[in-house]
Amino acid sequence: MAPVGPHPAVADVRRAVREALADVEKGALVLTACSGGADSLALAAALAFVAPRTGLRAGLLTVDHQLQQGSDERARTVADIGARRLGLSPAEVLTVTVGTEGGPEAAAREARYAALAEAADQLRAEAVLLGHTRDDQAETVLLGLARGSGVRSLSGMAARSGRYRRPFLHIPRATTVKACEAMGLDPWDDPHNEDPRYTRVRVRRRVLPVLEAELGPGVAEALARTAGMAREDADALDQWAESAYQNCALSDIPGSVTMAVPELEKLPDAVRRRVLRRAAIAAGAPSGALSATHVLAVDRLVTSWRGQKAVDLPGGLAAVRRYGTLILAISPIA
């Protein structure tokens, strides 16, 4: 008897996309970002199947980073697969120029997301799907652990972040490869994904295999599960900190935030430090430049007060304690 229904891997990716788009209104446009690799190609094919059956419009965006010879031709090939093979419309190539700030991986990511956001705005897309898998999530958690970045970093990538949705965060990379094979799709293997100069590649090719060999199978799944629990905790702490901020802030205007020290002293460390970070950003400190070291220095004005001087912060700010209040303002503070 001939098998009934799609290959299990194909069914898995289609189900994931259907669930990720369950709340999108009929007639809306959903775009998928596709590099041509197995993850994003399986995602594009799943969207092409699900969209017409759920009353949605579906399109494809592929980004040419111009970092490899022939990248423009490959991008056009991906767009052609989206349009002709999968029936996605629009199917567009977005050409970007990658800078150097923050290293090659970060610069490429920044250029890619900027292009995707601009295209989504122009096309009035309701959502943009990204093909990150459970393996990508595990790699992200390991990188966060290595950098000592805290619980928010350990929470990894969100299944939803604004217009972006990641349907495959619970699906292993092997499933997307099998889905492509079953659907007769030929993914492109980006040589950058094998280049050990990139930290994420070393984690993928060296670190995770060692962990699996020494600790047993299931490490990637466990790390991804940890990310989900860490995200729940981080979200709860952030909500608590936002409420606490409203209670502690005596004034909150651009360039100056004043907070009641007695109220700050009542808070647990994790919440208080979130409140202080929130206050520094509200006063004008650039979030990307505000480090844990800065926040801890301000925290000592609350918890270890010995009459110390003001703490300098990014953005020309300073934090100082005076008469039971903590003031974060443009330096110098009169």
Side-chain angles (χ1 to χ4, degrees), residues 9-18 21 32 39-53 58 86 88 129 167-168 179 183 185:
V10 175
D12 285 345
V13 297
R14 288 175 177 174
R15 184 184 308 110
V17 169
R18 186 180 299 110
L21 299 178
T32 183
D39 302 338
S40 61
L41 199 57
L43 180 62
L47 176 64
F49 179 86
V50 170
R53 291 164 175 79
L86 302 178
L88 298 171
L129 304 186
F168 290 173
M183 291 184 285
L185 298 171

Side-chain angles (χ1 to χ4, degrees), residues 260-285:
V261 169
E263 293 300 318
L264 290 168
E265 290 175 330
K266 297 175 184 178
L267 299 173
D269 292 350
V271 178
R272 185 179 59 255
R273 289 166 187 165
R274 280 171 165 78
V275 170
L276 296 176
R277 178 176 176 81
R278 164 80 164 80
I281 293 172

Side-chain angles (χ1 to χ4, degrees), residues 169-186:
L169 281 185
H170 64 287
I171 290 179
R173 186 174 291 128
T175 297
T176 67
V177 173
K178 291 177 182 177
C180 286
E181 291 175 353
M183 291 184 285
L185 298 171
D186 185 19

Side-chain angles (χ1 to χ4, degrees), residues 90-227:
E92 298 184 0
V93 175
L94 309 178
T95 303
V96 302
T97 300
V98 177
T100 58
E101 186 174 354
E105 291 174 279
R109 183 170 57 251
E110 181 178 351
R112 178 168 60 254
Y113 276 97
L116 291 173
E118 182 178 358
D121 285 340
Q122 291 177 349
L123 295 169
R124 298 183 179 180
E126 180 69 20
V128 178
L129 304 186
L130 304 175
H132 298 111
T133 65
R134 189 176 72 191
D135 300 74
D136 295 309
Q137 186 75 300
E139 294 160 13
T140 301
V141 174
L142 275 180
L143 288 169
L145 279 169
R147 292 165 181 161
S149 303
V151 68
R152 176 53 70 186
S153 179
L154 298 186
S155 66
M157 295 174 285
R160 293 190 182 188
S161 180
R163 61 159 59 93
Y164 299 108
R165 304 188 182 200
R166 298 178 173 90
F168 290 173
L169 281 185
H170 64 287
I171 290 179
R173 186 174 291 128
T175 297
T176 67
V177 173
K178 291 177 182 177
C180 286
E181 291 175 353
M183 291 184 285
L185 298 171
D186 185 19
W188 173 64
D189 293 323
D190 186 346
H192 281 173
N193 290 334
E194 302 294 333
D195 190 340
R197 291 178 299 173
Y198 297 103
T199 305
R200 186 174 286 271
V201 173
R202 295 196 298 274
V203 170
R204 179 181 306 152
R205 300 302 180 192
R206 299 176 184 174
V207 179
L208 269 172
V210 168
L211 291 175
E212 293 275 357
E214 297 297 329
L215 301 179
V219 171
E221 182 179 1
L223 287 169
R225 187 167 60 249
T226 296

